[in-house]
Amino acid sequence: MKIVFILPGSGNSGGVRVTVAAANKLVTRGHSVRILCKNTSTTLKSSLRNIRKRIFFKDDGWLKDFNGKLESFDDIVDCSFADKEVIIGVGMWSSAQLARLGSVPNPKIQYIHGATPWAAELMDEALSLPFPKIVIASYLLPLVKSFGGGPVIDIVYNGIDRGEYFRSVDESERNGIGTIYSSHPAKDPETVLAVLKKLSVAKPHLPVRVFSTGKRPPQIEKSSFTRFPSVETARDIYSKSLVWVMGSKSEGFSLPVLEAMACGCAVVATDCGGTSDIIKNGE
């Protein structure tokens, strides 16, 4: 089978990571798989930012791990597709882009990675389309069905590689809390910083560990902050933390919850999406 995944950008998001993982598994099963990635380095500033990330943080994103053919595009209508190649739009933006391929007879599937309440018009546009859909968590089922678009084929939950995430330090070294910081409104940075501030007052000697793909805010101590951690570094941060806090307003699936659990953390998280499929309240 020929399959092509369409991504809205390269980035370091969980959506990119699980797409690469799924695509690689399809390759190992003998399928011909491509990834088409929207070119987001269209300005000098964005190009310099990507170069800086590679040089100073040794980070090339998740796409470097893909074992198939990787291509970039500026406009989806300029892309070519093989006969009967299955086109999979990943996320709301790419799902909405499938509407622009009306003259392309190939089968099309929308791979819905989460709600986007901060982009309501885009969500309405994508979920109203008649294409069949795959969702990654149960909370998305009623949302997708409420728009009356194409049928939901199935829930395909995200997963993690237990060869990458496991307890990497002795249990006696585990202490304090850890969390991920992001300035994106969906990640609710104000709440995360407020939690850290309250903890610093109540437990001033409590070890705190934070990692991020963004810049360190002044409210977080430099010694507590790691930017663009490798899988190995993230694993150690999880493994050294007793409790992992996830305070987002909106998540698609929230891979870090699974990653933290696999490394032995107790997880405290908001009910903001896929967490309800992973965590049972009070357990």
Side-chain angles (χ1 to χ4, degrees):
M1 183 181 292
K2 296 177 180 178
I3 304 165
V4 57
F5 291 89
I6 300 173
L7 287 173
S10 53
N12 295 79
S13 70
V16 174
R17 188 178 191 185
V18 298
T19 298
V20 168
N24 280 338
K25 286 188 176 293
L26 290 167
V27 169
T28 62
R29 294 183 182 186
H31 299 289
S32 175
V33 185
R34 295 189 296 152
I35 291 180
L36 290 179
C37 182
K38 178 74 169 69
N39 181 18
T40 56
S41 298
T42 55
T43 65
L44 177 60
K45 183 178 180 180
S46 60
S47 297
L48 290 174
R49 182 167 57 244
N50 288 335
I51 293 172
R52 181 176 180 270
K53 185 174 72 171
R54 292 190 185 99
I55 294 175
F56 292 99
F57 298 102
K58 310 299 183 184
D59 185 87
D60 291 319
W62 300 117
L63 289 178
K64 70 179 186 304
D65 298 326
F66 179 48
N67 297 323
K69 188 175 182 181
L70 177 64
E71 303 172 48
S72 63
F73 67 92
D74 293 315
D75 193 325
I76 193 66
V77 297
D78 296 328
C79 296
S80 298
F81 301 95
D83 182 44
K84 297 181 181 179
E85 185 176 35
V86 179
I87 304 172
I88 303 177
V90 181
M92 290 298 177
W93 183 86
S94 296
S95 292
Q97 289 291 300
L98 296 185
R100 303 184 62 219
L101 299 176
S103 61
V104 178
N106 297 53
K108 304 174 184 71
I109 297 173
Q110 294 175 302
Y111 189 11
I112 306 301
H113 276 217
T116 54
W118 58 90
E121 290 185 6
L122 177 62
M123 185 164 64
D124 181 86
E125 179 184 357
L127 298 185
S128 298
L129 294 174
F131 306 117
K133 297 166 175 60
I134 296 170
V135 298
I136 62 168
S138 62
Y139 82 97
L140 290 167
L141 287 174
L143 173 67
V144 171
K145 290 177 180 178
S146 70
F147 282 86
V152 175
I153 301 172
D154 206 349
I155 303 174
V156 180
Y157 295 103
N158 293 338
I160 60 168
D161 184 346
R162 291 298 299 270
E164 292 182 332
Y165 295 98
F166 53 87
R167 191 183 69 187
S168 61
V169 303
D170 189 88
E171 196 66 21
S172 62
E173 297 181 47
R174 191 187 297 277
N175 56 37
I177 72 157
T179 189
I180 295 177
Y181 175 82
S182 171
S183 60
H184 193 289
K187 306 300 183 181
D188 199 358
E190 293 82 8
T191 291
V192 172
L193 292 175
V195 168
L196 294 178
K197 183 177 180 179
K198 285 190 175 184
L199 283 170
S200 69
V201 174
K203 302 282 185 179
H205 301 296
L206 184 75
V208 174
R209 302 174 182 91
V210 184
F211 66 75
S212 176
T213 59
K215 293 181 179 180
R216 178 181 62 88
Q219 298 94 322
I220 298 177
E221 295 290 335
K222 187 175 182 179
S223 60
S224 302
F225 190 82
T226 303
R227 191 176 181 189
F228 290 116
S230 64
V231 170
E232 293 76 18
T233 299
R235 180 174 65 225
D236 286 347
I237 291 172
Y238 285 132
S239 296
K240 292 176 181 177
S241 301
L242 186 63
V243 177
W244 196 262
V245 177
M246 204 282 292
S248 300
K249 287 182 179 178
S250 179
E251 287 280 342
F253 181 81
S254 192
L255 279 175
V257 171
L258 277 188
E259 293 168 359
M261 286 179 169
C263 295
C265 293
V267 178
V268 177
T270 50
D271 185 5
C272 61
T275 52
S276 59
D277 286 327
I278 309 170
I279 296 174
K280 288 185 179 181
N281 191 35
E283 296 186 19

